[in-house]
Amino acid sequence: MDKQSSYEDLSDRARHLLRVLIDRYVRDGQPVGSRTLSRESGLSLSPATIRNVMSDLEELGYIGAPHTSAGRIPTTKGYRFFVDTLVSFRSPSRGEVRELQSRLGEGAESETRLVESASNVLSRLTHMAGVVTIPKQALGSLKQIEFLPLSDQRVLAILVVNETQVQNRILQVDRPYTADELKKVSNYLNQQFAGQTLIRVREKILSEMRQTRESMNRMMSEAINMAQALFAAAEREEGAGYYLAGETNLMDFAELSDVEKLRELFEAFNRKRDILHLLDRAMVSADLQIFIGGESGYHILDDCSVVVSPYSVDEDVVGVLGVIGPTRMAYERVIPIVDITARLLGSALKSLD
């Protein structure tokens, strides 16, 4: 379905006035009256005619009236119509692109530095909050897996990725294992999977787990089960975090400056759960997404918009990045910045491989 077909059939005049109203409100944050629209619209219309059009837009739910003003402001529906059908995107300037490339280049020695740099530059360029999830360990090649026995039916798993990255995790297993048994498990997994990307290793492990147990001997079955436990533990850790920068920028927007509202918003940032759930929804999409106001499904974000895009390495989505700000954001500028940052971060991560 065409995006425009889901909206009422607005006249060209109504669309133009809605766009002018949103542009003006985004610029200065003040409700927009008919006289202002008459002056800035470039149309030869009287304030009375413009008031009639505004009345129609309000009745259809595209604009609303704050209690303290005779002017009008966009609603979530108005912003959604604007983003879907009216906005003219503005590509980042050469200077902004150079800064993105420079900032991401500075962090090129590690994934952590790259992600942190990406969140910082998103915040700096948009003057809002920049968020980047920690990349899932889909990129990188498996060099070696080792398992060492610990007490209380625990095993230390050592994962070596890309020659130099070493990750240690403790697994709870269903029985005690000897060092010799774990050595056989390690040897089998290294023979089967060394040199392959982690995402391919996970896919093969899941595929082998679906095979009938009769087709595997005990050692093979235990090796696959232990590898699955290792990757499940890794996914739990990866899903636990993101880098957030510039959240204090949100205090500069009057509509978000209420102390109680800010407290709840910052608590949500610290709690991470709700924000991560929202970002996870973007992980399943190959496209940039925009959640405006209540579209996020989280009350704490009712006055916010979240512009997010997945970032990929070799066509595998490994994380999400974006910007959190007020619904009154410059979408025509923020959306292209998020889009190009996602592409540059994916390229920078690939260069680590």
Side-chain angles (χ1 to χ4, degrees), residues 114-124 126 128-135 241-247 249-250 268-269 272 274-280 282 291 301 305-311 319-325 337-338 341-342 345:
L114 277 172
V115 168
E116 189 175 8
S117 294
S119 63
N120 283 325
V121 73
L122 279 171
S123 172
R124 213 194 80 74
T126 64
M128 290 180 253
V131 59
V132 185
T133 62
I134 296 171
Y242 54 73
Y243 278 88
L244 182 72
E247 59 268 43
N249 289 337
L250 303 181
F269 289 153
K272 294 190 175 183
D274 292 345
I275 305 298
L276 280 168
H277 284 172
L278 183 62
L279 297 176
D280 282 345
F291 301 95
L301 295 175
S305 283
V306 184
V307 179
V308 288
S309 176
Y311 61 90
V320 177
L321 61 76
V323 168
I324 302 172
I337 286 175
V338 170
T341 305
L345 178 58

Side-chain angles (χ1 to χ4, degrees), residues 7 34 64 134 145 164 228 234 281 301 351:
Y7 297 105
S34 58
I134 296 171
I145 295 178
T164 58
Q228 171 61 11
R281 286 159 59 184
L301 295 175
S351 71

Side-chain angles (χ1 to χ4, degrees), residues 77-308:
K77 181 178 178 179
Y79 281 124
R80 172 52 63 190
F81 183 78
F82 174 78
V83 167
D84 286 349
T85 68
L86 300 178
V87 69
S88 296
F89 296 117
R90 198 173 85 218
S91 298
S93 67
R94 290 182 180 178
E96 289 171 333
V97 173
R98 281 197 298 270
E99 179 172 356
L100 279 165
Q101 293 170 329
S102 172
R103 291 293 187 95
L104 292 177
E106 289 172 2
E109 70 269 18
S110 71
E111 291 177 10
T112 301
R113 282 289 307 279
L114 277 172
V115 168
E116 189 175 8
S117 294
S119 63
N120 283 325
V121 73
L122 279 171
S123 172
R124 213 194 80 74
L125 291 178
T126 64
H127 306 290
M128 290 180 253
V131 59
V132 185
T133 62
I134 296 171
K136 293 184 178 298
Q137 292 293 339
L139 59 153
S141 298
L142 174 67
K143 181 183 179 183
Q144 188 175 0
I145 295 178
E146 295 294 337
F147 296 103
L148 299 175
L150 301 175
S151 60
D152 300 323
Q153 294 186 192
R154 295 177 304 154
V155 169
L156 173 64
I158 304 170
L159 191 67
V160 183
V161 181
N162 287 345
E163 302 292 334
T164 58
Q165 298 179 35
V166 180
Q167 304 171 22
N168 299 322
R169 292 181 178 86
I170 295 177
L171 308 179
Q172 192 71 44
V173 292
D174 58 3
R175 70 173 181 86
Y177 283 85
T178 66
D180 185 59
E181 287 176 313
L182 292 178
K183 183 65 176 176
K184 291 178 180 178
V185 167
S186 301
N187 288 342
Y188 173 78
L189 293 175
N190 288 324
Q191 289 169 6
Q192 295 295 313
F193 303 120
Q196 300 180 41
T197 63
L198 295 190
I199 196 166
R200 301 295 176 230
V201 173
R202 290 178 181 181
E203 289 173 352
K204 289 187 176 183
I205 287 171
L206 289 174
S207 175
E208 293 198 21
M209 288 186 72
R210 286 192 289 267
Q211 295 180 19
T212 58
R213 287 292 181 246
E214 289 76 16
S215 66
M216 291 186 183
N217 61 37
R218 179 179 175 184
M219 189 276 296
M220 290 172 59
S221 178
E222 290 185 338
I224 294 299
N225 287 337
M226 199 165 294
Q228 171 61 11
L230 170 60
F231 283 113
E235 287 186 343
R236 284 194 298 272
E237 291 180 18
E238 291 161 8
Y242 54 73
Y243 278 88
L244 182 72
E247 59 268 43
T248 55
N249 289 337
L250 303 181
M251 299 170 66
D252 296 334
F253 296 93
E255 57 268 49
L256 299 177
S257 61
D258 176 78
V259 173
E260 183 61 23
K261 188 177 295 184
L262 278 173
R263 183 186 64 79
E264 292 179 357
L265 190 57
F266 285 6
E267 283 181 357
F269 289 153
N270 289 329
R271 219 171 32 241
K272 294 190 175 183
R273 183 189 61 227
D274 292 345
I275 305 298
L276 280 168
H277 284 172
L278 183 62
L279 297 176
D280 282 345
R281 286 159 59 184
M283 279 284 289
V284 301
S285 171
D287 302 317
L288 182 144
Q289 293 190 68
I290 305 151
F291 301 95
I292 302 174
E295 293 175 355
S296 70
Y298 296 101
H299 172 70
I300 190 60
L301 295 175
D302 281 353
D303 295 313
C304 296
S305 283
V306 184
V307 179
V308 288

